[in-house]
């Protein structure tokens, strides 16, 4: 069977991985900013994030592509071109720990596990409560992912500020991180990039 290729992107292509945090409702700000900076983009959501955490139809309208959460079947065309970069925003405690541990049980987690091995730059905007951020597993995950070259923005808890109200989520910081010089890596970067697969792990 001949596999159908995804519709090619005319501009650099950004995968936006969206996790289940309250601030996810604002992901349209990142998609809009990415377009203004010359990116095309596609959204990959965790299964939990699809449960009302953001407006899926609005995200599809902004990107012109379907929001992905499940693996495609062998007969389905690849929905996105290969990524030039990945932004994880918001990134939750659960997703960061699964990614660091190499648990690829969802399309979002599998995409994140595979991207560093393909040499794709990754920017992460964590949204993790202070009570979870002190957990040793989370601290270890940040250390491991940073050693892989993953770029992290400042932590965001979502808690109200002392002056009242909630601080805004710095969506464009993900794009700033991707524009920055390449992060140091512990290992030699891999060879030529290939497309991230959309097949269930074996």
């Amino acid at each position: 069977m001949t596999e159908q290729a995804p519709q090619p992107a005319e501009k650099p292509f950004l995968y936006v991985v969206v996790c289940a945090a309250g601030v996810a409702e604002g992901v349209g700000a990142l998609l809009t900013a990415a377009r203004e900076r010359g990116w095309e983009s596609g959204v990959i959501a965790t299964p939990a994030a699809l449960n009302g955490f953001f407006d899926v139809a609005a995200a599809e309208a902004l990107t012109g592509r379907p929001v992905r959460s499940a693996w495609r079947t062998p007969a389905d065309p690849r929905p996105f071109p290969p990524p030039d970069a990945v932004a994880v925003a918001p990134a939750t405690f659960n997703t960061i720990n699964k990614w660091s541990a190499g648990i690829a049980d969802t399309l979002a987690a599998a995409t994140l596990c595979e991207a560093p091995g393909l040499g794709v730059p990754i920017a992460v905007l964590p949204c993790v409560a202070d009570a979870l951020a002190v957990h040793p597993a989370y601290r270890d995950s940040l250390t491991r992912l940073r050693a892989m070259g993953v770029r992290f923005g400042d932590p965001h808890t979502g808690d109200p500020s002392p002056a009242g109200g909630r601080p805004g989520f710095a969506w464009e910081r993900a794009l700033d991180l991707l524009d920055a010089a390449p992060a140091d890596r512990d290992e030699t970067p891999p060879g030529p990039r290939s497309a991230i697969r959309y097949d269930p792990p074996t």
Side-chain angles (χ1 to χ4, degrees):
M1 178 184 299
T2 301
E3 186 179 82
Q4 292 177 280
Q7 180 180 349
E10 297 180 357
K11 302 175 181 178
F13 200 85
L14 176 69
Y15 285 11
V16 177
V17 176
V18 180
C19 303
V23 297
E25 65 183 4
V27 71
L30 174 56
L31 301 175
T32 300
R35 183 176 59 196
E36 291 172 350
R37 294 199 194 188
W39 294 89
E40 290 191 49
S41 59
V43 173
I44 298 174
T46 65
L50 288 182
N51 293 326
F53 281 87
F54 71 104
D55 188 331
V56 172
E60 292 180 339
L62 283 169
T63 64
R65 297 175 186 267
V67 169
R68 303 293 299 172
S69 182
W71 280 283
R72 66 182 180 87
T73 67
D76 291 335
R78 294 186 185 276
F80 299 160
D84 294 287
V86 177
V88 193
T92 57
F93 176 85
N94 189 52
T95 292
I96 289 171
N97 286 328
K98 283 170 56 175
W99 176 15
S100 172
I103 299 173
D105 61 345
T106 66
L107 177 60
T111 298
L112 295 177
C113 286
E114 191 171 5
L118 298 174
V120 177
I122 307 170
V124 179
L125 301 183
C127 185
V128 177
D130 286 339
L132 292 174
V134 298
H135 195 289
Y138 180 70
R139 292 181 173 181
D140 290 347
S141 293
L142 296 181
T143 298
R144 174 177 284 186
L145 293 173
R146 285 189 174 114
M148 293 164 57
V150 176
R151 309 165 191 188
F152 282 87
D154 294 334
H156 180 93
T157 66
D159 294 332
S161 65
R166 296 183 184 274
F169 193 68
W171 292 102
E172 291 195 46
R173 178 61 177 151
L175 303 176
D176 295 338
L177 290 167
L178 294 173
D179 287 340
D184 292 335
R185 297 177 64 92
D186 283 353
E187 300 177 357
T188 302
R193 188 188 68 203
S194 61
I196 287 180
R197 295 184 297 272
Y198 285 85
D199 309 299
T202 56

